[in-house]
């Protein structure tokens, strides 16, 4: 991309800014590709957490992860 060229983007709340295409079909394809990339990234993060915290229940909540130890419930709170 050269200096001075304009870049058209679309904001998708969960994905952020995604490059818009020349047509609506291209834009939708770019959004779907960004969703797949996000899903792959989340799966990698989940696998990493499962290795780091074996035997724990791992749940995605919003942008963060909740890790619950099955052996020690949170009854004391």
């Amino acid at each position: 991309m050269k200096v001075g060229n304009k870049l058209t983007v679309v904001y998708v709340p969960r994905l952020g800014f995604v490059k818009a295409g020349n047509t609506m079909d291209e834009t939708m394809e770019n959004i779907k590709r960004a969703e797949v990339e996000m899903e792959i990234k989340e799966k990698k993060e989940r696998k990493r957490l499962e290795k780091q915290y074996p035997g724990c229940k791992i749940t995605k909540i919003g942008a963060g992860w909740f890790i619950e130890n099955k052996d020690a419930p949170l009854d004391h709170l």
Side-chain angles (χ1 to χ4, degrees):
M1 189 170 172
K2 294 181 180 179
V3 175
N5 286 355
K6 292 187 179 182
L7 177 65
T8 307
V9 295
V10 177
Y11 180 75
V12 181
R14 188 166 175 264
L15 303 173
F17 291 99
V18 179
K19 183 179 177 186
N22 293 333
T23 64
M24 185 59 121
D25 291 334
E26 288 178 14
T27 302
M28 292 305 295
E29 186 177 316
N30 290 344
I31 291 172
K32 288 178 184 177
R33 188 177 304 119
E35 287 174 343
V36 169
E37 289 172 359
M38 177 68 74
E39 193 172 324
I40 291 170
K41 181 180 170 188
E42 288 176 359
K43 285 182 180 180
K44 286 181 180 179
E45 181 70 15
R46 177 180 290 277
K47 278 189 168 186
R48 186 187 67 79
L49 289 172
E50 287 173 350
K51 285 181 183 178
Q52 188 174 357
Y53 301 101
C56 293
K57 181 180 175 185
I58 299 171
T59 309
K60 179 143 177 87
I61 301 175
W65 295 89
F66 180 72
I67 302 169
E68 181 181 359
N69 189 351
K70 292 180 181 178
D71 298 333
L74 299 175
D75 294 336
H76 65 281
L77 297 178

